[in-house]
Amino acid sequence: MTEPFQPGRDFAVALDRADPLVRFRDEFHVPRRENGEDEIYFAGNSLGLLPRRTQKYVDEELEKWSRLAVKAHFSGENPWMPYHEFLAEPMARLVGASPTEVVTMNSLTVNLHLMMMSFYRPTRERHRILLEDHAFPSDDYAVESQALVHGFDPGEALVRLEPSEGKHSIDTADVARVLEREGDSIALVLLPGVQYYTGQAFEIEAITKLAHAKGCVVGVDLAHAAGNLVLRLHDWNVDFAVWCTYKYLNSGPGSVGGCFVHERHASQRDRPRLAGWWGHDKKSRFRMEPGFRPIPGAEGWQLSNPPILSLAAIRASLAVFTEAGGMEPLREKSFRLTAYLEWLLQRELGEAIEILTPADPHQRGCQLSLRVKSRSSGRTVFEKLEASGVTGDWREPDVIRVAPVPLYNRYEEAHRFVEILRRSL
Ligand SMILES: Cc1ncc(COP(=O)(O)O)c(C=O)c1O
């Protein structure tokens, strides 16, 4: 994105004034420093901020619990029995799916295992799993353990995609080359929507096409993409996807995760799955009879009755996204906000800071991953940033991640951040 940005603070303030989403910051609790000023909170890629309305949504459920107790499953406003269904439509909109293709359940890694139980069906000839080198460790452990469960040696079964020489990100052409060479032995391609370390957004649609052409199943980890990118999971034809709701979806630490199963798998009875009563046909669930009959669609992968207090927080957060007009306007702001931050960093600190995240705005979300090139150690710089009221995060071995989130961050904060970073170097 080539924009005529200007370096002064006034320009940042003018961008904020012209921002149609600026009022949404007041929907959130922004942590304060000891001096009473708001922190510059650039850690929404780790834990999103608390929406002010969440308390009301959670209090309503506590109140129903106190007043109705078990009867709240079936009576009162928003009964608990179908409570997860109230989330299906707004969640589906955020990830580009139909409501029957998504369900809010468990947490990310649990959902990844459940999906792999159904969609990683290895044979001797085709049992390998393609993932990116330095994938988030939980994904790495999950695929290793799945290979082991099926009797394969993870050292041989995992194919790790590396960026080409001298690059930080993995081009779709790199993926195509590996698929061309080894695709016939690959059962599952598991890639991130946005890579947690570099901030690279993968071209999921193109990769899915390539992988399907080779007969591979495609799963996507959207931990850093849900609520960050415009996603079209249904149209992109991915087989399954999993995500968490505590990052860009602002639903609280450890909150319940999301799961997508493409419509074409909705009623496949020959695909094995780990089953539980919440995935059983709703009409006959309470007959308590043996013989599992899955609900068609993503709901059929549920195991347990879900934690309502967490779902209430997700409902509150999804309502904020809906009011903001969904992902398109947020992404539009995000393009500009991250481009502005990148422009300032290059202009003011280009000698001292390397940006690992792709420069093409379509190949990244809001996060920039920074590496300190100067003599100061990255870790020391990070600690100085924290002491000056900036919350980003540090990822070993040497990266400072900063994520200006379009729902609640401002251009003026990006400007102030670069000033503070200059002083910290
Ligand atoms: C990319 C990615 N995958 C998986 C996880 C693990 O998520 P959970 O602890 O909800 O299983 C995370 C957590 O931050 C993540 O960033």
Side-chain angles (χ1 to χ4, degrees):
M1 183 159 299
T2 48
E3 289 222 29
F5 293 130
Q6 293 169 26
R9 182 178 176 279
D10 290 355
F11 183 74
V13 172
L15 285 175
D16 283 324
R17 270 209 209 100
D19 171 13
L21 295 169
V22 72
R23 78 167 178 88
F24 282 92
R25 180 183 176 90
D26 295 336
E27 290 282 340
F28 291 88
H29 292 277
V30 180
R32 293 251 161 93
R33 304 179 63 193
E34 272 174 21
N35 66 9
E37 283 173 13
D38 285 354
E39 281 181 12
I40 298 179
Y41 193 81
F42 279 174
N45 56 343
S46 189
L47 181 73
L49 292 182
L50 170 63
R52 290 187 185 277
R53 69 183 71 187
T54 300
Q55 178 119 33
K56 174 174 162 287
Y57 278 63
V58 173
D59 281 350
E60 274 169 15
E61 301 317 314
L62 290 172
E63 191 276 331
K64 275 156 59 185
W65 182 12
S66 71
R67 186 165 48 84
L68 300 170
V70 72
K71 295 192 190 80
H73 281 99
F74 301 98
S75 56
E77 218 184 322
N78 306 319
W80 296 340
M81 249 318 263
Y83 199 93
H84 68 277
E85 294 172 24
F86 309 142
L87 280 56
E89 212 179 297
M91 188 67 100
R93 256 185 269 127
L94 277 190
V95 297
S98 71
T100 55
E101 289 177 312
V102 301
V103 65
T104 309
M105 62 179 188
N106 313 310
S107 47
L108 191 156
T109 310
V110 174
N111 289 336
L112 183 55
H113 274 298
L114 292 180
M115 289 295 102
M116 285 198 284
M117 281 312 294
S118 293
F119 292 97
Y120 175 54
R121 306 305 307 165
T123 60
R124 191 127 293 286
E125 298 71 39
R126 188 191 278 277
H127 63 266
R128 302 172 82 200
I129 303 174
L130 180 70
L131 75 169
E132 88 275 23
D133 199 26
H134 290 105
F136 191 84
S138 200
D139 296 32
D140 221 78
Y141 308 150
V143 295
E144 270 194 24
S145 58
Q146 286 282 336
L148 284 169
V149 162
H150 289 281
F152 296 103
D153 166 15
E156 184 275 329
L158 303 194
V159 184
R160 295 175 194 278
L161 270 169
E162 289 180 28
S164 41
E165 186 75 30
K167 294 185 80 173
H168 300 298
S169 48
I170 297 165
D171 295 337
T172 302
D174 301 330
V175 186
R177 253 190 309 280
V178 175
L179 283 170
E180 194 47 48
R181 205 173 54 227
E182 312 195 36
D184 293 339
S185 68
I186 293 172
L188 172 66
V189 172
L190 179 70
L191 288 174
V194 173
Q195 216 280 341
Y196 84 99
Y197 191 75
T198 63
Q200 180 195 354
F202 280 72
E203 294 176 326
I204 297 301
E205 183 176 21
I207 292 171
T208 303
K209 262 200 199 105
L210 292 166
H212 281 171
K214 277 288 180 181
C216 318
V217 165
V218 177
V220 192
D221 176 341
L222 299 175
H224 289 263
N228 182 14
L229 305 182
V230 174
L231 301 166
R232 307 237 179 277
L233 295 181
H234 176 88
D235 293 346
W236 296 347
N237 216 13
V238 306
D239 294 280
F240 71 84
V242 291
W243 58 97
C244 56
T245 60
Y246 43 78
K247 299 179 187 292
Y248 297 109
L249 295 182
N250 309 319
S251 302
S255 57
V256 177
C259 184
F260 165 90
V261 179
H262 197 279
E263 189 174 73
R264 68 182 181 285
H265 303 301
S267 303
Q268 283 174 353
R269 299 300 290 270
D270 51 347
R271 200 175 275 285
R273 72 179 85 191
L274 294 181
W277 75 316
W278 227 250
H280 184 89
D281 167 51
K282 289 176 204 174
K283 286 200 201 80
S284 57
R285 186 189 287 150
F286 280 89
R287 284 195 213 130
M288 307 302 216
E289 290 167 348
F292 177 67
R293 285 206 310 281
I295 306 166
E299 274 185 281
W301 271 267
Q302 294 173 106
L303 299 180
S304 306
N305 77 101
I308 297 298
L309 300 181
S310 180
L311 294 194
I314 299 173
R315 233 183 99 227
S317 169
L318 292 177
V320 178
F321 275 88
T322 301
E323 272 178 37
M327 275 319 299
E328 276 83 1
L330 287 165
R331 183 69 168 134
E332 199 182 313
K333 172 174 172 185
S334 182
F335 274 140
R336 189 166 299 123
L337 180 55
T338 296
Y340 174 64
L341 174 61
E342 180 192 39
W343 183 83
L344 281 176
L345 284 166
Q346 300 285 22
R347 182 191 147 94
E348 308 290 325
L349 303 169
E351 299 289 300
I353 292 287
E354 179 189 14
I355 302 177
L356 307 191
T357 311
D360 173 1
H362 295 281
Q363 289 189 44
R364 67 184 183 209
C366 64
Q367 171 188 324
L368 293 180
S369 302
L370 314 179
R371 184 178 277 156
V372 177
K373 286 197 282 190
S374 68
R375 271 165 297 139
S376 343
S377 96
R379 180 86 217 183
T380 311
V381 171
F382 176 71
E383 282 161 12
K384 285 188 191 166
L385 286 173
E386 280 207 311
S388 309
V390 174
T391 302
D393 72 10
W394 173 257
R395 279 291 168 267
E396 294 293 346
D398 59 356
V399 158
I400 297 170
R401 300 187 307 175
V402 284
V405 171
L407 255 180
Y408 48 74
N409 285 125
R410 292 181 172 159
Y411 293 91
E412 190 277 329
E413 291 177 295
H415 189 270
R416 205 152 22 105
F417 166 75
V418 175
E419 280 304 303
I420 295 171
L421 180 56
R422 186 219 304 279
R423 287 204 303 273
S424 308
L425 281 163

mmCIF file of all heavy atoms in Angstrom, residues 45-46 106-112 132 135-139 192 194-196 221-224 242-247 254-255 257 395 401, ligand 1:
data_model
loop_
_atom_site.group_PDB
_atom_site.id
_atom_site.type_symbol
_atom_site.label_atom_id
_atom_site.label_comp_id
_atom_site.label_asym_id
_atom_site.label_seq_id
_atom_site.Cartn_x
_atom_site.Cartn_y
_atom_site.Cartn_z
ATOM 1 N N ASN A 45 -2.662 -9.705 19.622
ATOM 2 C CA ASN A 45 -2.365 -10.996 18.972
ATOM 3 C C ASN A 45 -2.073 -12.072 20.013
ATOM 4 O O ASN A 45 -1.902 -13.237 19.677
ATOM 5 C CB ASN A 45 -1.171 -10.856 18.025
ATOM 6 C CG ASN A 45 0.059 -10.313 18.714
ATOM 7 O OD1 ASN A 45 -0.034 -9.737 19.802
ATOM 8 N ND2 ASN A 45 1.211 -10.477 18.103
ATOM 9 N N SER A 46 -1.995 -11.656 21.267
ATOM 10 C CA SER A 46 -1.731 -12.605 22.343
ATOM 11 C C SER A 46 -2.989 -12.741 23.204
ATOM 12 O O SER A 46 -3.546 -13.824 23.343
ATOM 13 C CB SER A 46 -0.553 -12.068 23.161
ATOM 14 O OG SER A 46 -0.135 -13.004 24.066
ATOM 15 N N ASN A 106 -14.587 -26.377 22.950
ATOM 16 C CA ASN A 106 -13.245 -26.787 23.416
ATOM 17 C C ASN A 106 -12.228 -25.646 23.308
ATOM 18 O O ASN A 106 -12.572 -24.478 23.456
ATOM 19 C CB ASN A 106 -12.750 -28.002 22.628
ATOM 20 C CG ASN A 106 -13.805 -29.081 22.522
ATOM 21 O OD1 ASN A 106 -14.380 -29.449 23.537
ATOM 22 N ND2 ASN A 106 -14.080 -29.566 21.339
ATOM 23 N N SER A 107 -10.976 -26.026 23.031
ATOM 24 C CA SER A 107 -9.960 -25.012 22.760
ATOM 25 C C SER A 107 -9.199 -25.440 21.510
ATOM 26 O O SER A 107 -9.429 -26.532 20.979
ATOM 27 C CB SER A 107 -9.033 -24.841 23.963
ATOM 28 O OG SER A 107 -8.628 -26.100 24.419
ATOM 29 N N LEU A 108 -8.288 -24.593 21.060
ATOM 30 C CA LEU A 108 -7.731 -24.801 19.722
ATOM 31 C C LEU A 108 -7.078 -26.172 19.559
ATOM 32 O O LEU A 108 -7.371 -26.919 18.629
ATOM 33 C CB LEU A 108 -6.741 -23.672 19.400
ATOM 34 C CG LEU A 108 -6.276 -23.589 17.950
ATOM 35 C CD1 LEU A 108 -5.812 -22.183 17.622
ATOM 36 C CD2 LEU A 108 -5.191 -24.573 17.601
ATOM 37 N N THR A 109 -6.170 -26.512 20.469
ATOM 38 C CA THR A 109 -5.412 -27.750 20.275
ATOM 39 C C THR A 109 -6.325 -28.974 20.373
ATOM 40 O O THR A 109 -6.145 -29.954 19.644
ATOM 41 C CB THR A 109 -4.249 -27.832 21.283
ATOM 42 O OG1 THR A 109 -3.523 -26.597 21.241
ATOM 43 C CG2 THR A 109 -3.309 -28.975 20.963
ATOM 44 N N VAL A 110 -7.308 -28.904 21.260
ATOM 45 C CA VAL A 110 -8.267 -30.016 21.367
ATOM 46 C C VAL A 110 -9.013 -30.162 20.037
ATOM 47 O O VAL A 110 -9.155 -31.269 19.499
ATOM 48 C CB VAL A 110 -9.274 -29.770 22.520
ATOM 49 C CG1 VAL A 110 -10.341 -30.849 22.530
ATOM 50 C CG2 VAL A 110 -8.557 -29.709 23.859
ATOM 51 N N ASN A 111 -9.459 -29.029 19.490
ATOM 52 C CA ASN A 111 -10.186 -29.088 18.214
ATOM 53 C C ASN A 111 -9.298 -29.605 17.088
ATOM 54 O O ASN A 111 -9.757 -30.338 16.209
ATOM 55 C CB ASN A 111 -10.761 -27.709 17.863
ATOM 56 C CG ASN A 111 -11.918 -27.338 18.775
ATOM 57 O OD1 ASN A 111 -12.572 -28.213 19.339
ATOM 58 N ND2 ASN A 111 -12.163 -26.048 18.938
ATOM 59 N N LEU A 112 -8.026 -29.219 17.143
ATOM 60 C CA LEU A 112 -7.088 -29.703 16.122
ATOM 61 C C LEU A 112 -6.993 -31.239 16.185
ATOM 62 O O LEU A 112 -7.040 -31.920 15.160
ATOM 63 C CB LEU A 112 -5.722 -29.050 16.352
ATOM 64 C CG LEU A 112 -4.618 -29.366 15.360
ATOM 65 C CD1 LEU A 112 -5.042 -29.057 13.930
ATOM 66 C CD2 LEU A 112 -3.351 -28.565 15.704
ATOM 67 N N GLU A 132 4.519 -25.795 8.401
ATOM 68 C CA GLU A 132 5.635 -24.865 8.246
ATOM 69 C C GLU A 132 6.690 -25.149 9.299
ATOM 70 O O GLU A 132 6.367 -25.595 10.402
ATOM 71 C CB GLU A 132 5.156 -23.410 8.281
ATOM 72 C CG GLU A 132 5.059 -22.737 9.637
ATOM 73 C CD GLU A 132 3.758 -22.993 10.389
ATOM 74 O OE1 GLU A 132 3.087 -24.009 10.122
ATOM 75 O OE2 GLU A 132 3.434 -22.170 11.279
ATOM 76 N N ALA A 135 6.532 -24.121 13.293
ATOM 77 C CA ALA A 135 5.102 -23.924 13.554
ATOM 78 C C ALA A 135 4.923 -23.669 15.052
ATOM 79 O O ALA A 135 5.819 -23.970 15.861
ATOM 80 C CB ALA A 135 4.327 -25.176 13.152
ATOM 81 N N PHE A 136 3.786 -23.136 15.452
ATOM 82 C CA PHE A 136 3.515 -22.954 16.882
ATOM 83 C C PHE A 136 3.673 -24.321 17.565
ATOM 84 O O PHE A 136 3.170 -25.326 17.061
ATOM 85 C CB PHE A 136 2.103 -22.407 17.070
ATOM 86 C CG PHE A 136 1.855 -21.948 18.472
ATOM 87 C CD1 PHE A 136 2.232 -20.671 18.870
ATOM 88 C CD2 PHE A 136 1.278 -22.795 19.400
ATOM 89 C CE1 PHE A 136 2.027 -20.255 20.177
ATOM 90 C CE2 PHE A 136 1.069 -22.385 20.706
ATOM 91 C CZ PHE A 136 1.446 -21.111 21.099
ATOM 92 N N PRO A 137 4.402 -24.359 18.693
ATOM 93 C CA PRO A 137 4.739 -25.676 19.265
ATOM 94 C C PRO A 137 3.547 -26.585 19.521
ATOM 95 O O PRO A 137 3.654 -27.803 19.343
ATOM 96 C CB PRO A 137 5.434 -25.328 20.583
ATOM 97 C CG PRO A 137 5.631 -23.859 20.597
ATOM 98 C CD PRO A 137 5.009 -23.248 19.389
ATOM 99 N N SER A 138 2.401 -26.029 19.900
ATOM 100 C CA SER A 138 1.265 -26.909 20.184
ATOM 101 C C SER A 138 0.846 -27.673 18.913
ATOM 102 O O SER A 138 0.521 -28.864 18.980
ATOM 103 C CB SER A 138 0.085 -26.095 20.724
ATOM 104 O OG SER A 138 -0.797 -26.931 21.408
ATOM 105 N N ASP A 139 0.906 -27.008 17.771
ATOM 106 C CA ASP A 139 0.568 -27.670 16.505
ATOM 107 C C ASP A 139 1.596 -28.758 16.209
ATOM 108 O O ASP A 139 1.269 -29.853 15.756
ATOM 109 C CB ASP A 139 0.548 -26.668 15.345
ATOM 110 C CG ASP A 139 -0.538 -25.622 15.503
ATOM 111 O OD1 ASP A 139 -0.841 -25.274 16.651
ATOM 112 O OD2 ASP A 139 -1.079 -25.160 14.495
ATOM 113 N N PRO A 192 -0.855 -22.257 8.892
ATOM 114 C CA PRO A 192 -1.533 -21.191 9.633
ATOM 115 C C PRO A 192 -2.158 -20.171 8.682
ATOM 116 O O PRO A 192 -1.640 -19.959 7.573
ATOM 117 C CB PRO A 192 -0.380 -20.545 10.406
ATOM 118 C CG PRO A 192 0.824 -20.771 9.560
ATOM 119 C CD PRO A 192 0.587 -22.041 8.776
ATOM 120 N N VAL A 194 -2.254 -16.988 9.653
ATOM 121 C CA VAL A 194 -1.154 -16.042 9.858
ATOM 122 C C VAL A 194 -0.131 -16.746 10.749
ATOM 123 O O VAL A 194 -0.500 -17.286 11.802
ATOM 124 C CB VAL A 194 -1.641 -14.739 10.541
ATOM 125 C CG1 VAL A 194 -0.465 -13.839 10.915
ATOM 126 C CG2 VAL A 194 -2.603 -13.975 9.629
ATOM 127 N N GLN A 195 1.125 -16.727 10.335
ATOM 128 C CA GLN A 195 2.176 -17.413 11.101
ATOM 129 C C GLN A 195 2.488 -16.601 12.363
ATOM 130 O O GLN A 195 2.713 -15.387 12.274
ATOM 131 C CB GLN A 195 3.418 -17.577 10.220
ATOM 132 C CG GLN A 195 4.168 -18.868 10.434
ATOM 133 C CD GLN A 195 5.074 -18.846 11.674
ATOM 134 O OE1 GLN A 195 5.406 -17.781 12.167
ATOM 135 N NE2 GLN A 195 5.456 -20.017 12.168
ATOM 136 N N TYR A 196 2.517 -17.258 13.514
ATOM 137 C CA TYR A 196 2.581 -16.508 14.777
ATOM 138 C C TYR A 196 3.887 -15.729 14.942
ATOM 139 O O TYR A 196 3.905 -14.668 15.570
ATOM 140 C CB TYR A 196 2.389 -17.468 15.969
ATOM 141 C CG TYR A 196 3.650 -18.176 16.415
ATOM 142 C CD1 TYR A 196 4.390 -17.718 17.506
ATOM 143 C CD2 TYR A 196 4.118 -19.294 15.740
ATOM 144 C CE1 TYR A 196 5.560 -18.350 17.901
ATOM 145 C CE2 TYR A 196 5.277 -19.932 16.130
ATOM 146 C CZ TYR A 196 5.993 -19.454 17.211
ATOM 147 O OH TYR A 196 7.153 -20.069 17.599
ATOM 148 N N ASP A 221 -4.855 -23.489 10.791
ATOM 149 C CA ASP A 221 -4.850 -22.951 12.152
ATOM 150 C C ASP A 221 -5.031 -21.443 12.039
ATOM 151 O O ASP A 221 -4.149 -20.734 11.547
ATOM 152 C CB ASP A 221 -3.508 -23.302 12.826
ATOM 153 C CG ASP A 221 -3.382 -22.691 14.221
ATOM 154 O OD1 ASP A 221 -4.125 -21.733 14.533
ATOM 155 O OD2 ASP A 221 -2.529 -23.152 14.994
ATOM 156 N N LEU A 222 -6.180 -20.979 12.495
ATOM 157 C CA LEU A 222 -6.517 -19.553 12.346
ATOM 158 C C LEU A 222 -6.318 -18.765 13.630
ATOM 159 O O LEU A 222 -6.914 -17.699 13.799
ATOM 160 C CB LEU A 222 -7.973 -19.428 11.888
ATOM 161 C CG LEU A 222 -8.318 -20.062 10.536
ATOM 162 C CD1 LEU A 222 -9.813 -19.959 10.273
ATOM 163 C CD2 LEU A 222 -7.542 -19.384 9.409
ATOM 164 N N ALA A 223 -5.495 -19.269 14.550
ATOM 165 C CA ALA A 223 -5.308 -18.581 15.834
ATOM 166 C C ALA A 223 -5.016 -17.094 15.627
ATOM 167 O O ALA A 223 -5.567 -16.240 16.314
ATOM 168 C CB ALA A 223 -4.172 -19.232 16.615
ATOM 169 N N HIS A 224 -4.154 -16.791 14.645
ATOM 170 C CA HIS A 224 -3.743 -15.399 14.421
ATOM 171 C C HIS A 224 -4.456 -14.770 13.228
ATOM 172 O O HIS A 224 -4.064 -13.686 12.791
ATOM 173 C CB HIS A 224 -2.224 -15.325 14.229
ATOM 174 C CG HIS A 224 -1.489 -15.587 15.494
ATOM 175 N ND1 HIS A 224 -1.023 -14.573 16.308
ATOM 176 C CD2 HIS A 224 -1.184 -16.737 16.128
ATOM 177 C CE1 HIS A 224 -0.441 -15.102 17.371
ATOM 178 N NE2 HIS A 224 -0.528 -16.421 17.289
ATOM 179 N N VAL A 242 -9.379 -24.465 12.633
ATOM 180 C CA VAL A 242 -9.558 -24.301 14.080
ATOM 181 C C VAL A 242 -8.981 -22.945 14.484
ATOM 182 O O VAL A 242 -8.071 -22.446 13.849
ATOM 183 C CB VAL A 242 -8.842 -25.435 14.860
ATOM 184 C CG1 VAL A 242 -9.539 -26.763 14.636
ATOM 185 C CG2 VAL A 242 -7.368 -25.562 14.464
ATOM 186 N N TRP A 243 -9.532 -22.366 15.522
ATOM 187 C CA TRP A 243 -9.002 -21.084 15.989
ATOM 188 C C TRP A 243 -9.328 -20.889 17.466
ATOM 189 O O TRP A 243 -10.104 -21.654 18.051
ATOM 190 C CB TRP A 243 -9.533 -19.914 15.154
ATOM 191 C CG TRP A 243 -11.018 -19.728 15.097
ATOM 192 C CD1 TRP A 243 -11.771 -18.876 15.862
ATOM 193 C CD2 TRP A 243 -11.954 -20.377 14.207
ATOM 194 N NE1 TRP A 243 -13.104 -18.956 15.502
ATOM 195 C CE2 TRP A 243 -13.235 -19.861 14.503
ATOM 196 C CE3 TRP A 243 -11.819 -21.336 13.198
ATOM 197 C CZ2 TRP A 243 -14.387 -20.279 13.816
ATOM 198 C CZ3 TRP A 243 -12.966 -21.755 12.529
ATOM 199 C CH2 TRP A 243 -14.216 -21.229 12.834
ATOM 200 N N CYS A 244 -8.705 -19.869 18.041
ATOM 201 C CA CYS A 244 -9.006 -19.534 19.433
ATOM 202 C C CYS A 244 -9.737 -18.199 19.444
ATOM 203 O O CYS A 244 -9.767 -17.489 18.434
ATOM 204 C CB CYS A 244 -7.734 -19.469 20.262
ATOM 205 S SG CYS A 244 -6.516 -18.328 19.597
ATOM 206 N N THR A 245 -10.307 -17.851 20.568
ATOM 207 C CA THR A 245 -11.102 -16.607 20.626
ATOM 208 C C THR A 245 -10.516 -15.611 21.619
ATOM 209 O O THR A 245 -11.131 -14.596 21.900
ATOM 210 C CB THR A 245 -12.566 -16.912 21.010
ATOM 211 O OG1 THR A 245 -12.574 -17.551 22.289
ATOM 212 C CG2 THR A 245 -13.252 -17.796 19.994
ATOM 213 N N TYR A 246 -9.336 -15.930 22.165
ATOM 214 C CA TYR A 246 -8.784 -15.008 23.180
ATOM 215 C C TYR A 246 -7.832 -13.972 22.594
ATOM 216 O O TYR A 246 -7.384 -13.092 23.299
ATOM 217 C CB TYR A 246 -8.093 -15.777 24.318
ATOM 218 C CG TYR A 246 -7.224 -16.933 23.878
ATOM 219 C CD1 TYR A 246 -5.959 -16.711 23.363
ATOM 220 C CD2 TYR A 246 -7.691 -18.243 23.980
ATOM 221 C CE1 TYR A 246 -5.170 -17.778 22.955
ATOM 222 C CE2 TYR A 246 -6.913 -19.310 23.563
ATOM 223 C CZ TYR A 246 -5.651 -19.066 23.058
ATOM 224 O OH TYR A 246 -4.885 -20.126 22.642
ATOM 225 N N LYS A 247 -7.511 -14.099 21.284
ATOM 226 C CA LYS A 247 -6.602 -13.114 20.673
ATOM 227 C C LYS A 247 -7.455 -12.000 20.066
ATOM 228 O O LYS A 247 -8.014 -11.190 20.793
ATOM 229 C CB LYS A 247 -5.718 -13.796 19.634
ATOM 230 C CG LYS A 247 -4.823 -14.890 20.215
ATOM 231 C CD LYS A 247 -4.000 -15.528 19.120
ATOM 232 C CE LYS A 247 -3.233 -16.733 19.621
ATOM 233 N NZ LYS A 247 -2.166 -16.386 20.560
ATOM 234 N N GLY A 254 -8.075 -18.142 27.754
ATOM 235 C CA GLY A 254 -8.496 -19.544 27.714
ATOM 236 C C GLY A 254 -9.917 -19.753 27.224
ATOM 237 O O GLY A 254 -10.482 -20.842 27.403
ATOM 238 N N SER A 255 -10.508 -18.736 26.587
ATOM 239 C CA SER A 255 -11.917 -18.875 26.190
ATOM 240 C C SER A 255 -12.069 -19.961 25.114
ATOM 241 O O SER A 255 -11.094 -20.392 24.507
ATOM 242 C CB SER A 255 -12.470 -17.539 25.688
ATOM 243 O OG SER A 255 -11.685 -17.066 24.614
ATOM 244 N N GLY A 257 -12.768 -22.244 21.883
ATOM 245 C CA GLY A 257 -12.249 -22.091 20.519
ATOM 246 C C GLY A 257 -13.316 -22.280 19.452
ATOM 247 O O GLY A 257 -14.460 -22.649 19.730
ATOM 248 N N ARG A 395 9.095 -12.928 21.520
ATOM 249 C CA ARG A 395 9.094 -14.351 21.152
ATOM 250 C C ARG A 395 10.521 -14.790 20.916
ATOM 251 O O ARG A 395 11.237 -14.177 20.097
ATOM 252 C CB ARG A 395 8.248 -14.579 19.884
ATOM 253 C CG ARG A 395 6.754 -14.655 20.160
ATOM 254 C CD ARG A 395 6.359 -15.914 20.934
ATOM 255 N NE ARG A 395 4.992 -15.869 21.437
ATOM 256 C CZ ARG A 395 4.618 -15.451 22.644
ATOM 257 N NH1 ARG A 395 5.513 -15.017 23.497
ATOM 258 N NH2 ARG A 395 3.356 -15.473 23.012
ATOM 259 N N ARG A 401 7.069 -8.704 18.858
ATOM 260 C CA ARG A 401 5.868 -8.652 18.018
ATOM 261 C C ARG A 401 5.001 -7.479 18.475
ATOM 262 O O ARG A 401 4.769 -7.318 19.682
ATOM 263 C CB ARG A 401 5.053 -9.942 18.146
ATOM 264 C CG ARG A 401 5.786 -11.201 17.741
ATOM 265 C CD ARG A 401 4.862 -12.412 17.722
ATOM 266 N NE ARG A 401 4.119 -12.596 18.965
ATOM 267 C CZ ARG A 401 3.186 -13.522 19.160
ATOM 268 N NH1 ARG A 401 2.867 -14.353 18.188
ATOM 269 N NH2 ARG A 401 2.575 -13.632 20.325
HETATM 270 C C1 LIG B 1 -0.815 -20.538 16.214
HETATM 271 C C2 LIG B 1 -1.301 -21.144 17.488
HETATM 272 N N1 LIG B 1 -1.700 -22.428 17.501
HETATM 273 C C3 LIG B 1 -2.117 -23.022 18.633
HETATM 274 C C4 LIG B 1 -2.187 -22.328 19.825
HETATM 275 C C5 LIG B 1 -2.631 -23.060 21.060
HETATM 276 O O1 LIG B 1 -3.883 -22.656 21.467
HETATM 277 P P1 LIG B 1 -4.666 -23.362 22.689
HETATM 278 O O2 LIG B 1 -3.861 -23.147 23.919
HETATM 279 O O3 LIG B 1 -5.962 -22.608 22.744
HETATM 280 O O4 LIG B 1 -4.832 -24.789 22.351
HETATM 281 C C6 LIG B 1 -1.802 -20.984 19.851
HETATM 282 C C7 LIG B 1 -1.850 -20.218 21.106
HETATM 283 O O5 LIG B 1 -1.466 -19.087 21.216
HETATM 284 C C8 LIG B 1 -1.340 -20.378 18.654
HETATM 285 O O6 LIG B 1 -0.927 -19.115 18.633
#
